[in-house]
Amino acid sequence: AAPPIMPDRAIATPRHILWVVDESVAEAPFRRLIAPKLTRVPHNDFGIAAALGHCSAPAQVALRSGVDVRRASPRADLRATASIWAYAKAAGYRTTLIDAQTSGAPQNLMLPPERARMDDYRPMVGGIDADLKIADALNARMKGGGRSFTYAVLRGVHFQYRDHYPAGAIPARSPVALQYDTALTWSKGRFFDRLLAGVDREAVAIVYTSDHGQNLAPGALPHCSREAVADEFRVPLLTFLPAATAARYADAPRAGHSASQIFPATLTWMGYDPAAVAARYDNDLTQPTARFVWFGRTVIPTGGDGRVDVTAGPDFPGS
């Protein structure tokens, strides 16, 4: 659908807005291994956030579509809503999807009508350094002219974890938890330095999160399990914003957030009315989510009854 509201073009907005969505990055290891590298970098850290699904496709579909969390139900059809691409284009941004996980058609249930809303699609599949290459590409974009909204899907650290660090970095039969730590450190240890190097931070707004978390218990299915546990939903949520915008979130709680809040927060940065946006989707990141919502594999209607797999309530998913 077309956006039901329009932005105020008189409001000063960032020239470049980025959503950086990682793959299989769990909040606790990120906090332990990567967050300390950011202590001297101005940013907002919202603590543990809830992913919109514990599988990649539903989490990404819901993130791109925006979720009306107060009214989410099995009859919700995210294909019919206004996507982030439509809102960004209405606000004057050129829209791009960069994907490090596929070299062909877009993945994660991106159907042709949604694809048509985008200006550019760039597969950037590579080896274990693919995310660094994307960081460099995003860095160049933020230093360029024009106005852009970019959604970057990173390679991240999808199981098998040993595929994401150099051979021989640790013993071959190392425990899964050590494999994960090694993969995450290789994937993200230099990423933010490369992403932000020389960027005018007053001209850009960046969201960093992950599509879902990981269950690192021995023998467990890491994510997309039949009986989802909370660790499959626990993801980091960080923003890198102009100083005045960042100040709005200085006192934001570090618990109770959901990835559903990324959509309305971003729309406010694009110049859309904050009250109208919050009423249609979810609270801004200044406060906790109005309602936790997450989707299962059937995130869009595929059966005869037209129902989707959605769960909503006051509790963190998988608790």
Side-chain angles (χ1 to χ4, degrees), residues 284-314:
D284 194 356
L285 290 164
T286 53
Q287 54 189 308
T289 181
R291 190 181 184 216
F292 287 109
V293 174
W294 63 275
F295 294 85
R297 287 181 181 272
T298 309
V299 64
I300 59 175
T302 57
D305 65 357
R307 299 172 68 87
V308 302
D309 182 2
V310 61
T311 304

Side-chain angles (χ1 to χ4, degrees), residues 54 225-230 232-233 294 317-319:
H54 69 311
S225 65
R226 186 176 297 275
E227 297 294 335
V229 300
E232 295 177 67
F233 295 94
W294 63 275
S319 298

Side-chain angles (χ1 to χ4, degrees), residues 55-148:
C55 303
S56 294
Q60 299 258 7
V61 169
L63 188 60
R64 301 190 314 255
S65 303
V67 179
D68 184 347
V69 298
R70 298 172 186 86
R71 287 167 283 274
S73 77
R75 295 296 179 184
D77 187 348
L78 297 179
R79 298 173 302 174
T81 64
S83 66
I84 189 60
W85 318 109
Y87 277 108
K89 286 178 71 65
Y93 291 92
R94 179 173 177 82
T95 58
T96 300
L97 171 64
I98 296 176
D99 196 329
Q101 298 179 24
T102 182
S103 58
Q107 59 166 345
N108 293 320
L109 299 175
M110 179 171 285
L111 304 177
E114 182 184 358
R115 170 66 182 87
R117 289 283 190 178
M118 294 163 41
D119 293 310
D120 190 20
Y121 167 55
R122 296 178 59 192
M124 292 187 66
V125 174
I128 59 175
D129 290 327
D131 287 351
L132 292 179
K133 296 175 183 177
I134 288 181
D136 291 341
L138 296 175
N139 180 274
R141 171 152 298 184
M142 289 187 286
K143 292 176 180 176
R147 290 164 57 79
S148 69

